Amino acid sequence: MSMRKYQRCTRCVMDTTDSKITFDSYGVCDHCRNFDKNIAPYWKPQENRFDELEKVAQKIRKKGEGKKYDCILGLSGGADSSYLAYIAKEIMNLRPLAVVVDTGWNLNVAVENIEKIVKGLNIDMYTEVINWKEMADLQLAFFKASISSQDFPQDHAIFAGLYNYAVKNKIKYVLTGSNSATEFIRPPIEWIYLNDLTMALDIHRKFGKRKLKTFPMCSMLKYRLIYKYVYGMERIFPLDYVVYNKAEAEELLYKKFGWTKYANKHYENVFTRFFEGYYLPHKFGFDTRKNVYSNEILAGTMTHEKAIEKLEEKPYDEEQMYLDKEYIAKKLGITVAEFDEIIDRPNKTPDDYRNSMWFIKLGVLICKTLKIENRNIR
């Protein structure tokens, strides 16, 4: 973490725990300035662009004629993916296949939400269960590596499983719940590192014990270039075409399907809850609620004062944290004492391992130049 004098943005709640953050003379950070310059002029938060969305839907339906499914989407049980499924089926009139990647960590509430959405929308679901021994071995290796990005194994398995399934089954369109309304500001790379398979394999080589024979893998080169330009896979972002007020979306999901809300973003998963609620702030001083709340501030769905008030609260209940720690340690095959010892080892960064940061930076530069990516990524 940066040794700079502490400063928080006067507009959002990003602060100097992002070591590369800069502020203008009014105390407004570069994330907010980037939003004003590169996102706000093109974002229409109060406008449902149904005509544009229908054109996208027509293209997907046409390409999918004669096929059982015309698109695919990942379903986690969270708000974004659940609302995405609703939009795909009810608004776009598509025939999506919902893919659930079971990494072994979902809470019952997530499983129940998935079942409610699938049943309520009458859509088919395919579940890919990740080999648990391989998942646990890779996750324990990441803990021993002492870097901040402990959720990489799960994140990678989920999107790699989804994209690999789409290409294998010749489903051209992958619908994603990523959206401008909640993701103007992404966590800095020093908080949560990007998809770097080179680093992951080096960490596993150093600290892992079991071969990753079936673990889904998909490098940035593969899904950004090969899958897109060779196999024709296209990612679609439907939530960018509709007014996406998360609170209102959650209320709709509750009324229509009995969907249950979580305490924080990504808290449908016990590992992610522990990682974001305890590991990151305890070991590195990083709190992902800052970028989540900052997104809401820029979207106009939360005030600066309310965000600060919520940040004063603990990420989640301390007693629950200890239960989660005990549960995770047991699932990973170690004692709580061993887990604590591993967590308290000196902090490391991706630079301590082989990585593809040069390639990622090049990709980011190209995406920014072509206006494919307008957020700050550093």
Side-chain angles (χ1 to χ4, degrees):
M1 187 167 64
S2 171
M3 298 305 292
R4 297 163 60 185
K5 180 181 178 182
Y6 179 80
Q7 186 174 353
R8 173 190 281 151
C9 180
T10 54
R11 182 174 172 191
C12 73
V13 289
M14 291 298 288
D15 59 18
T16 42
T17 54
D18 171 3
S19 66
K20 292 183 173 62
I21 198 169
T22 62
F23 302 93
D24 64 16
S25 59
Y26 298 97
V28 176
C29 76
D30 57 318
H31 292 289
C32 291
R33 299 197 302 274
N34 181 70
F35 169 79
D36 290 338
K37 179 181 178 181
N38 297 317
I39 298 174
Y42 313 104
W43 182 54
K44 302 173 182 177
Q46 303 306 322
E47 182 180 332
N48 283 312
R49 294 149 52 204
F50 289 134
D51 289 346
E52 295 177 50
L53 185 62
E54 177 56 24
K55 288 180 182 178
V56 174
Q58 286 176 3
K59 179 177 71 171
I60 296 173
R61 292 196 297 264
K62 184 175 178 63
K63 286 280 188 179
E65 287 178 357
K67 299 179 180 178
K68 189 172 184 180
Y69 310 109
D70 50 26
C71 61
I72 192 172
L73 59 87
L75 187 59
S76 69
D80 294 349
S81 67
S82 298
Y83 195 62
L84 169 67
Y86 164 76
I87 292 293
K89 180 68 186 294
E90 298 297 308
I91 306 300
M92 300 176 73
N93 296 309
L94 300 176
R95 292 174 287 109
L97 172 66
V99 174
V100 176
V101 180
D102 182 358
T103 61
W105 295 106
N106 272 358
L107 295 164
N108 287 337
V109 64
V111 176
E112 292 167 1
N113 276 350
I114 290 169
E115 291 175 350
K116 290 171 183 176
I117 295 297
V118 168
K119 183 177 180 180
L121 290 172
N122 191 27
I123 57 178
D124 289 345
M125 178 180 76
Y126 165 77
T127 301
E128 178 167 349
V129 180
I130 305 301
N131 180 296
W132 170 247
K133 290 182 179 179
E134 293 182 15
M135 171 61 75
D137 189 62
L138 184 57
Q139 287 185 305
L140 186 56
F142 261 71
F143 274 119
K144 290 178 179 178
S146 290
I147 63 170
S148 60
S149 302
Q150 292 304 315
D151 224 12
F152 175 96
Q154 273 204 117
D155 284 345
H156 191 85
I158 290 168
F159 93 77
L162 177 65
Y163 293 168
N164 292 348
Y165 185 92
V167 169
K168 181 181 178 181
N169 290 277
K170 299 180 179 179
I171 302 175
K172 296 290 187 183
Y173 295 98
V174 178
L175 274 54
T176 173
S178 296
N179 61 92
S180 295
T182 62
E183 297 172 357
F184 306 124
I185 301 174
R186 74 168 310 282
I189 290 174
E190 64 183 326
W191 296 12
I192 300 178
Y193 190 47
L194 295 171
N195 173 40
D196 190 338
L197 197 53
T198 299
M199 182 196 68
L201 293 176
D202 190 49
I203 286 174
H204 185 258
R205 182 179 62 82
K206 285 181 167 69
F207 303 106
K209 296 180 179 179
R210 179 179 295 273
K211 287 186 177 181
L212 303 177
K213 295 180 179 179
T214 64
F215 191 85
M217 295 184 190
C218 184
S219 68
M220 184 175 288
L221 174 66
K222 182 182 281 188
Y223 84 86
R224 288 279 192 183
L225 298 177
I226 298 174
Y227 279 5
K228 179 177 176 64
Y229 295 105
V230 177
Y231 293 97
M233 187 190 84
E234 186 174 345
R235 295 185 298 162
I236 305 293
F237 303 83
L239 298 188
D240 277 344
Y241 293 88
V242 300
V243 175
Y244 185 43
N245 180 303
K246 197 157 192 172
E248 293 177 2
E250 290 172 341
E251 183 65 19
L252 179 146
L253 292 171
Y254 169 73
K255 288 181 177 179
K256 279 188 170 289
F257 311 112
W259 182 91
T260 303
K261 182 179 178 180
Y262 312 126
N264 286 310
K265 186 178 176 73
H266 301 314
Y267 273 28
E268 67 269 24
N269 181 290
V270 65
F271 186 94
T272 306
R273 179 171 69 188
F274 178 80
F275 161 63
E276 293 189 356
Y278 174 76
Y279 181 89
L280 271 182
H282 168 78
K283 185 171 174 64
F284 290 92
F286 303 147
D287 188 342
T288 59
R289 294 179 302 167
K290 292 174 183 176
N291 68 280
V292 172
Y293 296 162
S294 292
N295 283 318
E296 293 194 46
I297 291 169
L298 295 180
T301 57
M302 183 182 291
T303 65
H304 187 263
E305 293 74 21
K306 183 64 177 178
I308 293 175
E309 179 185 323
K310 289 173 71 67
L311 285 172
E312 304 259 333
E313 302 169 2
K314 291 183 178 179
Y316 70 123
D317 181 74
E318 192 167 345
E319 183 177 348
Q320 184 64 59
M321 182 275 290
Y322 283 113
L323 291 173
D324 287 351
K325 182 192 288 186
E326 184 177 24
Y327 175 73
I328 291 169
K330 185 176 181 180
K331 283 203 72 170
L332 293 179
I334 56 177
T335 66
V336 173
E338 289 172 324
F339 198 19
D340 282 332
E341 185 274 324
I342 291 171
I343 291 173
D344 290 337
R345 290 177 185 176
N347 294 351
K348 301 287 186 180
T349 75
D351 287 338
D352 292 302
Y353 305 96
R354 289 183 57 205
N355 64 68
S356 299
M357 177 55 81
W358 70 269
F359 181 73
I360 290 173
K361 286 182 176 179
L362 177 62
V364 168
L365 178 62
I366 293 171
C367 287
K368 295 278 280 187
T369 302
L370 297 177
K371 300 294 185 182
I372 297 171
E373 174 62 71
N374 290 323
R375 299 173 300 173
N376 281 347
I377 297 182
R378 64 220 183 175

